[in-house]
Amino acid sequence: MIKPAPLRPAVPRGFDLDDFTIDTAAGVVTCPSRHIARLTGNTDKKRAIFGKVCDGCPLRQRCTIAKNGRIVQIRPQHDLQAAARRQAATDPDWQADYRRWRPPVERAVAWIVARGNRRYGG
């Protein structure tokens, strides 16, 4: 059980990836302002380029500072990662399990590190 890493927005206090509606099956991304862009690219990285639709958008300041508009990039495991973030944020059973198991695991890791059992590459 690992808590998903938080997403970082492109603009401080702005929109992150979860604020966009991403339909990987249909290959489209909808921004918070309801503009739609198609996903393109290979299987490793897919992108939705909003480009000119960002010009004059009232939400642009919370979305991007790029002069050519917002680009949303997703990885092959996007759907699984998004589901994990939703579960961690909304599922009370998951949250209870996480609170139950995190302290003992962190304590065990701290003991291992304190005893000099840390591996260094090199």
Side-chain angles (χ1 to χ4, degrees), residues 9-16 19 32 58-64 70:
V11 176
R13 295 184 305 277
F15 298 120
D16 63 32
D19 293 317
L59 300 178
R60 183 182 177 115
Q61 298 300 321
R62 292 184 55 204
C63 193
T64 186
R70 178 75 183 249

Side-chain angles (χ1 to χ4, degrees):
M1 172 174 280
I2 298 172
K3 186 175 183 179
L7 295 173
R8 287 188 280 167
V11 176
R13 295 184 305 277
F15 298 120
D16 63 32
L17 198 61
D18 285 342
D19 293 317
F20 289 76
T21 303
I22 300 171
D23 185 343
T24 55
V28 295
V29 178
T30 305
C31 77
S33 192
R34 305 222 188 270
H35 297 118
I36 297 173
R38 290 204 96 18
L39 282 169
T40 60
N42 61 28
T43 57
D44 289 341
K45 293 180 187 174
K46 292 191 181 240
R47 297 173 164 196
I49 302 171
F50 287 92
K52 296 291 182 191
V53 297
C54 294
D55 293 345
C57 178
L59 300 178
R60 183 182 177 115
Q61 298 300 321
R62 292 184 55 204
C63 193
T64 186
I65 58 172
K67 66 180 179 177
N68 293 328
R70 178 75 183 249
I71 297 174
V72 172
Q73 183 170 298
I74 64 166
R75 305 273 178 193
Q77 301 299 323
H78 169 76
D79 292 333
L80 288 172
Q81 292 170 336
R85 286 190 299 270
R86 276 192 303 278
Q87 182 182 25
T90 61
D91 184 352
D93 292 333
W94 189 96
Q95 292 168 354
D97 282 347
Y98 184 75
R99 281 191 299 272
R100 162 71 178 97
W101 290 107
R102 182 178 176 190
V105 169
E106 296 224 354
R107 185 171 40 253
V109 170
W111 288 340
I112 290 168
V113 171
R115 292 186 175 116
N117 294 317
R118 177 176 277 186
R119 290 181 63 187
Y120 293 98

